[in-house]
Amino acid sequence: MASQDWFDKDFYKVLGVSKDVTPAELKKVYRKLARKYHPDSNPGDPAAEAKFKEISEAHSVLGDPEQRKEYDQIRAMGSGARFTAPGSAGQGGFDDVFGGMFGQGGSRGYSYQQGGNFDDVFGGLFGQGGGGFGSSSGGFRGYGGPTRGRDVTAHTTIDFVTATKGETITLQASDGKPIKVKIPAGVADGQKIKLRGKGQPSPDGGEAGDIVLTVTVRKHPVFERDGLNLRVTVPVTFAEAALGATIEVPTLGGDPVKLRVAPGTPSGRVLRVKGRGVQTAKGTGDLLAVVQVAVPSHLSPEAQEALKEFAAKLPDENPREDLLAKART
């Protein structure tokens, strides 16, 4: 159940949306605001950081169907109302909440006293336990028991090898405390990892929230992810592609492997090395070596003459003939 500060906070206004906003529209607006005010985009700007925390809090409530429902109920009960001790000055006592339910003054005579709890108040109004409010500890529990702590969003950037192999890393929480996070093997760029119970504590003894960690993976200078496969582009000479050759291909974190390039291999052909891709609990991928025929940019006069003699001995064929014919149809 939501805490008392929900009376004071208009989360719809914070996000700039109407009360009938759809979940999809809400998510779109939140992402736009989060990108605008994220601390990484506004280094050293405390106002932007505060705004980012505010919109994150608003989305954590409105983005959860159950919390949004409870939030709307509380706000409808009495906008701006709060519980105050008897005799306190200013607006916002129990009268504000229940005056409209029972008529002006309908709740007068009920007050929160030291040593009591909300059961004493709501028991008389709804019958013993009928309202579902309160607890023996005196906290404001709501319909469904203690409030769950709010989730916290976080981001981290890891290198390609860590994402592929998996590793336990240490992050620093906003309060300065270290948090160990197990990065599973094969985590993808943009993937979210949920750290259960590591978010905001409950205000009334309930379950703590989670940390939702978004992972950014740095690009590798050689390898790319293709699902569980690793893809690498391997240059070969014209002679190797035409006549065939045995070449060395790099692997991620291991020794190179030897592959046979068949005679007449064209650019773009994929040579597969089984089991040398990403290893996860769900399976193991392969290493995909994509052949790229390297064309020399400089030829000696002798090499040019030799190549002309070679070309003269080739069959009189146009390799683009099929392409042109298909284009015409």
Side-chain angles (χ1 to χ4, degrees):
M1 180 61 184
S3 57
Q4 295 179 32
D5 61 2
W6 282 3
F7 280 110
D8 297 329
K9 297 183 178 181
D10 188 342
F11 292 142
Y12 293 102
K13 184 176 181 181
V14 169
L15 296 176
V17 297
S18 63
K19 292 184 179 181
D20 59 354
V21 64
T22 66
E25 292 171 338
L26 181 72
K27 189 174 184 179
K28 183 178 180 180
V29 170
Y30 167 70
R31 285 182 173 178
K32 182 178 180 180
L33 291 174
R35 284 195 297 268
K36 180 178 179 181
Y37 293 103
H38 194 280
D40 291 346
S41 303
N42 303 272
D45 187 344
E49 183 177 356
K51 183 66 175 178
F52 179 76
K53 291 180 179 179
E54 188 179 18
I55 62 178
S56 296
E57 178 187 25
H59 180 260
S60 69
V61 174
L62 300 184
D64 184 305
E66 290 299 321
Q67 290 199 61
R68 180 175 176 176
K69 180 179 178 181
E70 294 179 6
Y71 172 76
D72 289 342
Q73 290 172 340
I74 288 182
R75 294 278 296 179
M77 183 186 297
S79 179
R82 68 179 78 242
F83 301 114
T84 59
S88 61
Q91 300 291 323
F94 278 106
D95 295 342
D96 300 319
V97 180
F98 296 102
M101 296 173 63
F102 301 99
Q104 274 303 333
S107 64
R108 298 186 188 280
Y110 293 95
S111 61
Y112 176 79
Q113 298 181 1
Q114 189 69 26
N117 60 47
F118 289 110
D119 290 340
D120 302 326
V121 178
F122 293 104
L125 290 173
F126 301 104
Q128 199 64 27
F133 290 86
S135 70
S136 59
S137 63
F140 179 70
R141 297 296 181 92
Y143 302 109
T147 307
R148 182 180 178 277
R150 293 192 177 93
D151 291 345
V152 175
T153 58
H155 297 76
T156 189
T157 300
I158 59 177
D159 60 73
F160 189 88
V161 175
T162 299
T164 304
K165 305 288 186 181
E167 187 178 314
T168 297
I169 64 175
T170 301
L171 302 178
Q172 189 173 30
S174 58
D175 58 2
K177 294 182 180 180
I179 299 177
K180 290 190 177 297
V181 182
K182 185 177 181 181
I183 302 295
V187 66
D189 183 57
Q191 186 172 331
K192 298 182 186 298
I193 298 175
K194 182 173 287 188
L195 310 177
R196 296 194 178 277
K198 300 295 185 180
Q200 290 290 329
S202 167
D204 52 11
E207 180 184 0
D210 303 330
I211 292 179
V212 181
L213 179 67
T214 301
V215 178
T216 299
V217 181
R218 297 189 188 97
K219 291 187 176 182
H220 195 278
V222 171
F223 299 96
E224 292 183 3
R225 284 282 300 275
D226 184 359
L228 292 182
N229 297 326
L230 292 176
R231 188 177 291 269
V232 56
T233 299
V234 184
V236 299
T237 67
F238 172 75
E240 289 173 332
L243 303 176
T246 298
I247 62 173
E248 283 191 329
V249 176
T251 62
L252 185 65
D255 296 330
V257 295
K258 292 185 177 182
L259 285 181
R260 177 64 183 170
V261 177
T265 295
S267 278
R269 178 168 292 177
V270 177
L271 307 179
R272 186 182 297 268
V273 183
K274 284 285 188 181
R276 298 305 292 266
V278 182
Q279 298 182 10
T280 70
K282 297 181 179 179
T284 301
D286 302 330
L287 176 64
L288 307 179
V290 183
V291 173
Q292 184 181 66
V293 177
V295 178
S297 56
H298 301 287
L299 291 174
S300 67
E302 294 81 3
Q304 290 183 28
E305 288 299 323
L307 189 56
K308 289 177 182 178
E309 292 179 9
F310 168 76
K313 295 179 181 181
L314 291 176
D316 188 14
E317 297 176 347
N318 183 355
R320 294 169 292 280
E321 187 173 350
D322 285 347
L323 177 67
L324 295 172
K326 292 177 180 178
R328 285 193 293 268
T329 59

